[in-house]
Amino acid sequence: MTAELVRGQNHPLPDTCLEIRVSAGHPVVACTTCADERGTVRDEWIAHPGAPTLPGVEVSPQATEAPRFTIDLAAVPVAVHQVNVLLALPETGGGPAHFGATAAPFVAVVGRDGTELASFTITGLDAETALVAVELYRRQGAWKVRAVGQGYAGGLAELLADQGLPKARETAAGIQQTAAPRAPRAEPAQLRTRGADGVFTTPSTPTMPRPDPSPTAGPDVTLPDGPSGSGRQLGAPGGPVGPQQTPTPDPAPGPGGPIDYAHPRRQSAAPPPPPPAAPPAQPGRPAQPVAGDATGWSMEERLYNQIWGMFEDLARSAAAYRSAVDFAESRMDKELDTALSDPRSRIGGAGDAAREAARARYEQLTDQARQVLDRDLAQLAAESDVVEPALPPAFARWDNPAWHAYRVPMEIPMALRLGDLHLPESPDLRIPLLVRLPLERGLWVDSGRSGSDAAMELDEAQLRKLALDSAVAHAARLLAVYPPGEFTVHVIDPAGTAAASLAPLVDSGTLAGPPAAGAQGVSAVLAKLTQRVDLVTMAVRGGAADSLPPDLDTAEQLLIVNDFPHGFDDRAVTQLRYLADEGPAVGVHLLMVADREDASAYGPVLDPLWRSLLRITPVPDDHLSDPWVGHAWTYEPLLVPPGSGVLRQVLDQVTEARRSWRR
């Protein structure tokens, strides 16, 4: 099964003989650089069209639209711990000026038997002319692939300089000279056809490295990139533009509407059906929004892409407004300084007139910016009003009628809703927070008093109860969106304090067993899941999946841990960290309910554990940031309406479907 990677995600490589295939739709220069364990690249560790071979590495000898990298990781020098796969646009040949003007490159990692192990669609590119596509790196004696997608507007020279080469500019110029294609590989008409054959042009989205999230002051988690950015128009062409910004034209809309997405799926299949047509707009008024007004292979995928488009549009509209306000303030300060720098202007009414004029211009600019923002917010609010009722259960709130008409699914959905996000400029406009399935990292419901106003209003016991209720609701959602028998939930409750909150899971019979209590119960559950991770990891690396024990539960596993670190000894803590690091790759996930202060005695030992989990809160908190402009977004948890029986109703249906499936 192919692993479809997103930026920053890694995947184990079961084979050392690999071929990396790139589909770009236009000629690109293929290069590789090798680095030691410190990340240092040597001059002799570069493979490029002029010198296409290194020990264990071979690249395409000239610029081509479908370059190939042949890699034998067992043959690379012992000192090499990382192999970087680089792509660059040729500086000659009349091709695209930057990656944002053409189709998103698609990278596939293929084993020696031709099986596709992992793939990565490099979306969100704009002015970049060179990029690090993927990297192969050695960790604890095993090789993994990581999706990077880091672009450089300064081209190959800037990329090589960033990797530490002393003569990066000269090396890049030599590579470009030797890589010039001898003849064009495709006519422009063919490239346009490729754009309609499953690979779509990407809107302008800044490419940024993916920092490790850490629970520090301010936004402590950067949300993962969406499918490819919105590329949508809000208001005037180019989106809202502040006084400091220069308008940039949006990509030309395709025949299906003004939204253009690239989704990292199905790159070689037939093109998706067009999105539903929007009702015709009245003269002078914007078109009415339509649910699913985005590209995709199904209504679910269209809604997923549309939500990410709304997320990005709101982020950029707020950024334009804040930039305009900052510009107006700096302009007013500059005008006041200029007017009052002359002592003569301080006498009489000249100074007062200058101050009034500066303030008037400031208010005029901020009013104009607010009008543009209000227009965009109104358009997004209208779109949200249409989209929200059309969402499937996995994307919907608990009060959505979709849950009252719930039926156990037969396929895993694309994503799961964890909560809502909003900005201070629009507290009533909520954007669903969707995470892809299967989960790429564990979840941490922070039961501590994080500093938010909502948390400070509650006492410690109330906050812990809310955190555990939130975790149970998330677990119920996961159970509900997976097909019968494909998701298993375990619970560790060392002190047995969570009985009331766990009652829906226990009473419905959806748990794999009773909640584990005491040190012995903690040890038994952790040992069982650790053994599962070990067995599956060894089977995957050895290519012997059929040798797994017949009684091994192949379903995705979720471990809910309450009140950590109570009941955990040093061995249990080590096992928990192991599950957090290696578990997601083989279907074992954590859902922690913990206050970090309770584990402060461990010091920095647990820092990697907290960083490996996506932190969410049981009350509103502004600790999340977006991947485009870095706004601090307020996270709102999904709560079951008071007095509603929807949670137990859904869990009862899950249990009944399991019984029918086992017959």
Side-chain angles (χ1 to χ4, degrees):
M1 182 177 178
T2 303
E4 297 173 355
L5 306 181
V6 297
R7 270 192 182 87
Q9 185 181 0
N10 59 54
H11 185 72
L13 294 173
D15 202 345
T16 57
C17 292
L18 308 168
E19 184 179 46
I20 298 179
R21 303 172 181 175
V22 178
S23 176
H26 53 85
V28 292
V29 181
C31 309
T32 61
T33 58
C34 299
D36 59 20
E37 58 185 354
R38 297 182 179 179
T40 303
V41 177
R42 305 176 188 174
D43 290 332
E44 65 273 16
W45 281 358
I46 304 177
H48 55 84
T53 59
L54 288 174
V57 178
E58 183 176 354
V59 303
S60 296
Q62 68 181 50
T64 173
E65 65 184 57
R68 297 289 185 266
F69 300 79
T70 304
I71 299 176
D72 184 359
L73 296 173
V76 300
V78 178
V80 171
H81 284 254
Q82 181 176 313
V83 179
N84 304 300
V85 174
L86 318 180
L87 302 176
L89 294 176
E91 295 180 351
T92 58
H98 49 82
F99 279 108
T102 184
F106 175 74
V107 182
V109 181
V110 180
R112 72 174 75 199
D113 58 353
T115 302
E116 190 173 293
L117 305 175
S119 63
F120 175 40
T121 302
I122 311 174
T123 59
L125 300 176
D126 186 9
E128 297 86 349
T129 57
L131 58 91
V132 181
V134 297
E135 65 182 21
L136 312 176
Y137 64 99
R138 196 198 313 255
R139 179 178 179 183
Q140 297 178 352
W143 286 90
K144 294 186 177 184
V145 58
R146 176 182 287 118
V148 181
Q150 175 64 51
Y152 295 82
L156 193 57
E158 182 182 356
L159 189 159
L160 295 176
D162 190 46
Q163 293 193 347
L165 286 178
K167 297 182 179 180
R169 189 170 299 277
E170 293 82 355
T171 303
I175 293 174
Q176 289 284 2
Q177 184 177 2
T178 59
R182 299 184 180 92
R185 304 291 289 188
E187 296 295 331
Q190 293 174 315
L191 298 182
R192 287 195 293 270
T193 302
R194 180 182 292 272
D197 192 26
V199 182
F200 298 90
T201 54
T202 58
S204 299
T205 303
T207 301
M208 57 184 66
R210 311 297 308 132
D212 284 337
S214 57
T216 57
D220 62 351
V221 177
T222 301
L223 296 171
D225 289 336
S228 67
S230 73
R232 314 186 322 163
Q233 282 190 331
L234 285 179
V241 180
Q244 286 183 311
Q245 298 174 308
T246 302
T248 56
D250 285 343
I259 303 176
D260 192 11
Y261 294 98
H263 194 274
R265 279 193 178 188
R266 308 178 179 93
Q267 295 296 321
S268 60
Q282 298 180 6
R285 296 185 180 181
Q288 295 300 312
V290 173
D293 187 15
T295 57
W297 290 80
S298 63
M299 189 60 176
E300 179 191 53
E301 187 171 348
R302 291 175 187 168
L303 288 168
Y304 175 83
N305 287 345
Q306 187 173 13
I307 288 170
W308 270 100
M310 294 167 59
F311 186 20
E312 181 177 353
D313 286 343
L314 180 54
R316 295 192 185 283
S317 296
Y321 171 72
R322 295 178 185 182
S323 176
V325 172
D326 291 343
F327 172 81
E329 290 178 349
S330 63
R331 178 174 176 173
M332 181 179 67
D333 293 341
K334 184 177 180 180
E335 290 177 350
L336 290 175
D337 290 342
T338 302
L340 300 179
S341 61
D342 186 356
R344 291 173 296 180
S345 65
R346 303 173 191 168
I347 302 174
D352 294 337
R355 281 190 286 269
E356 291 299 326
R359 291 194 182 95
R361 281 189 286 271
Y362 166 78
E363 292 176 358
Q364 180 185 9
L365 289 175
T366 54
D367 287 345
Q368 290 176 351
R370 187 69 210 190
Q371 290 174 7
V372 173
L373 177 64
D374 289 342
R375 178 200 64 201
D376 294 344
L377 293 179
Q379 185 173 338
L380 287 170
E383 188 172 10
S384 177
D385 291 341
V386 172
V387 169
E388 192 70 43
L391 295 178
F395 296 1
R397 299 190 186 102
W398 284 112
D399 58 357
N400 192 303
W403 282 108
H404 295 281
Y406 166 78
R407 293 294 180 270
V408 178
M410 292 296 105
E411 293 184 356
I412 301 174
M414 289 184 59
L416 183 76
R417 186 171 185 168
L418 291 182
D420 292 331
L421 301 171
H422 65 83
L423 290 174
E425 288 83 358
S426 57
D428 295 331
L429 178 57
R430 308 297 174 90
I431 305 295
L433 171 59
L434 303 179
V435 294
R436 291 293 299 269
L437 293 179
L439 294 173
E440 299 168 2
R441 56 195 296 199
L443 303 176
W444 165 30
V445 183
D446 190 353
S447 61
R449 305 184 76 178
S450 57
S452 68
D453 293 339
M456 299 303 291
E457 292 175 358
L458 301 174
D459 61 33
E460 183 177 340
Q462 290 176 317
L463 201 55
R464 291 181 185 273
K465 176 68 166 53
L466 278 178
L468 193 53
D469 290 344
S470 178
V472 170
H474 289 310
R477 277 180 163 264
L478 286 164
L479 283 165
V481 301
Y482 270 79
E486 294 192 18
F487 201 84
T488 302
V489 178
H490 310 264
V491 175
I492 288 179
D493 184 22
T497 58
S501 296
L502 293 173
L505 295 175
V506 175
D507 295 345
S508 63
T510 51
L511 294 180
Q520 186 175 359
V522 171
S523 177
V525 172
L526 291 177
K528 178 180 179 180
L529 292 178
T530 301
Q531 182 185 38
R532 184 190 187 280
V533 172
D534 288 339
L535 290 173
V536 177
T537 301
M538 289 188 293
V540 170
R541 290 178 180 175
D546 56 348
S547 64
L548 289 170
D551 59 342
L552 183 74
D553 184 4
T554 57
E556 297 276 318
Q557 309 286 313
L558 178 71
L559 174 60
I560 303 176
V561 179
N562 179 47
D563 215 14
F564 176 81
H566 300 296
F568 282 72
D569 55 19
D570 290 345
R571 177 180 174 80
V573 170
T574 302
Q575 289 176 320
L576 192 69
R577 287 184 54 189
Y578 176 72
L579 293 178
D581 291 339
E582 305 297 336
V586 292
V588 177
H589 314 282
L590 290 183
L591 177 51
M592 301 271 294
V593 182
D595 180 0
R596 192 176 183 184
E597 290 299 320
D598 292 342
S600 59
Y602 287 93
V605 173
L606 290 181
D607 286 351
L609 173 64
W610 306 119
R611 285 197 299 266
S612 68
L613 304 173
L614 174 61
R615 176 177 173 252
I616 53 180
T617 53
V619 293
D621 194 293
D622 60 350
H623 66 285
L624 297 174
S625 67
D626 62 76
W628 301 289
V629 291
H631 290 319
W633 292 75
T634 298
Y635 167 80
E636 294 269 359
L638 292 178
L639 302 177
V640 178
S644 173
V646 63
L647 186 66
R648 291 182 179 270
Q649 173 188 335
V650 168
L651 290 175
D652 289 342
Q653 290 192 46
V654 171
T655 304
E656 182 59 31
R658 282 185 175 181
R659 291 170 182 162
S660 301
W661 173 73
R662 289 170 181 168
R663 290 172 186 167

